[in-house]
Amino acid sequence: MSTPQANSPFTVSTNPSTPASIKSRKCKQRKDKGNIRRRHEKEWIDSKRKINRNLGKDYTSRNGTQRAAKKMGARCPSTCRMKWSTKISEEQRQHIFDSFWSLGDRTKQWEYLAQFALRQTKRRIYTDRESKRKYTIKYHLPSNTHEGLDILQPIEVCKKMFLGTFSVSEQLIYTSIDKKNKTTGISVADQRGKHGNQRRTITNEVIESVCNHIKSLKPVESHYTRKDSDKLYLDGSLTYRRLFELYNEWDGLNAYTCKAQTERQYHDIANDNFKLCFHIPKKDQCDQCHVYKNLENPSTQESEKYSRHIQNKTQTRQMKSKDKQEAQASNGKIVTASFDFQKILNAPHGEIGVLYYKRKLSVFNFTVYSLGEKEGTCFMWQESQGRRGANEVASCLLDFIKRNS
């Protein structure tokens, strides 16, 4: 629809329909405000699986197999030669079982088992040929032998009694003994996944390259809450995927021998060193409504004030709707209009990578929308021609009134 030209060289016509670039977005509550999609390793499926496994709880393996929770095994039979079943009660065994699996850490469990499974040099040879077995393992269970005192005394038991009480395999016993340091008596930490031979590592040079690339994009500070926020903002058309593409096309990347290999690496480095956000158009929220919604126990006076506020809002919308209907029925004799500023536009703007590194010029767009004719008029100017003050707004409204009078 055609629109009268205003005094600004940037005046353009708008369509009453909502632009495709501005869509309704549902704001999701993040656990780390200010950093977009920081990874939460404890909430990963593999991490939860590992935690449940170390705690002896039921879990589902990677191939989909359901693993049952650990249960204490049976004690040795009454036919046992040493009669170990009579030296420790079921309550004590259950307490030992619960204490062991409540540790929830494989290294601590190794230390626990190595404390009561002692390896000794074998003393007897029962075969004529050379035997591969060089050691004998003595198994013990902690038991409170002093009544009224919290003193634990190890009691020797057979292998079946020991494995059944802890509900572990024989291989885990051998591993815990091998992990125990002969000098300090402390078990070596679990080194699975910590071998240091990963193909993709993040070095200081990689971090420096990502940080310098983000700085080259010239992120801007918050315009309204600068004193209360340390966030940096980039163009709303950017995403982390697009940032990683620009990173690979960046001319300054030639100065580094190592670079971020994946988008995930780039994302993690950016989150650890910056609080980046992208300009996303949002609807303005009422300050009074926002304050009232955050009150846990509003007083009677605050509730009455909020009710009057909602009532005034409803009446205002009804008046606006009435004026709109009168304007539509008057055939141009009555003009009803609403106006507001769009968010600051940055120029130059485009999808070409080199434009993201240019110094941006702020462009203001003041839009007046005629509700009766369903026609919008945009008054645009850049920051060297004027600001966003009362004089500029009054000039735009005066021009609009003159052209529709």
Side-chain angles (χ1 to χ4, degrees), residues 139-316:
Y139 300 95
H140 303 80
L141 289 178
S143 176
N144 190 353
T145 57
H146 298 74
E147 296 183 1
L149 298 177
D150 193 13
I151 300 176
L152 296 180
Q153 181 67 29
I155 297 179
E156 186 177 358
V157 295
C158 62
K159 178 197 278 188
K160 182 173 182 178
M161 184 78 154
F162 186 86
L163 298 179
T165 301
F166 289 103
S167 185
V168 295
S169 63
E170 188 175 354
Q171 182 59 45
L172 185 60
I173 306 300
Y174 298 148
T175 302
S176 62
I177 295 174
D178 294 336
K179 292 289 184 179
K180 185 177 181 181
N181 190 293
K182 303 301 186 295
T183 305
T184 61
I186 300 175
S187 298
V188 180
D190 190 358
Q191 298 297 321
R192 285 177 291 186
K194 302 177 182 179
H195 46 76
N197 296 325
Q198 289 84 356
R199 294 175 56 188
R200 299 169 178 171
T201 57
I202 299 178
T203 62
N204 293 332
E205 187 177 11
V206 175
I207 297 175
E208 183 181 357
S209 67
V210 174
C211 292
N212 289 337
H213 175 252
I214 294 176
K215 292 177 182 178
S216 67
L217 295 172
K218 300 179 177 60
V220 297
E221 297 177 346
S222 175
H223 183 70
Y224 295 102
T225 59
R226 186 175 302 172
K227 64 178 182 179
D228 301 325
S229 174
D230 55 353
K231 292 183 183 179
L232 298 176
Y233 294 85
L234 291 173
D235 190 88
S237 62
L238 290 174
T239 60
Y240 271 108
R241 176 168 295 181
R242 180 58 179 154
L243 282 178
F244 185 64
E245 294 175 356
L246 294 173
Y247 171 75
N248 290 323
E249 300 171 0
W250 183 40
D251 294 337
L253 194 60
N254 297 327
Y256 302 94
T257 57
C258 299
K259 67 172 186 176
Q261 299 295 323
T262 62
E263 181 185 342
R264 180 79 257 180
Q265 284 188 350
Y266 185 96
H267 198 159
D268 291 342
I269 295 173
N271 272 339
D272 290 338
N273 295 274
F274 299 94
K275 284 190 175 181
L276 284 180
C277 289
F278 303 110
H279 285 290
I280 299 176
K282 295 181 180 179
K283 294 180 65 176
D284 294 334
Q285 295 183 356
C286 175
D287 296 339
Q288 190 169 344
C289 293
H290 182 72
V291 171
Y292 183 80
K293 290 178 181 179
N294 290 331
L295 294 176
E296 295 182 358
N297 298 313
S299 62
T300 304
Q301 184 179 2
E302 290 172 337
S303 299
E304 292 177 354
K305 183 179 179 181
Y306 177 72
S307 299
R308 290 194 300 268
H309 173 70
I310 296 298
Q311 184 178 1
N312 293 335
K313 180 191 71 173
T314 304
Q315 292 178 355
T316 303

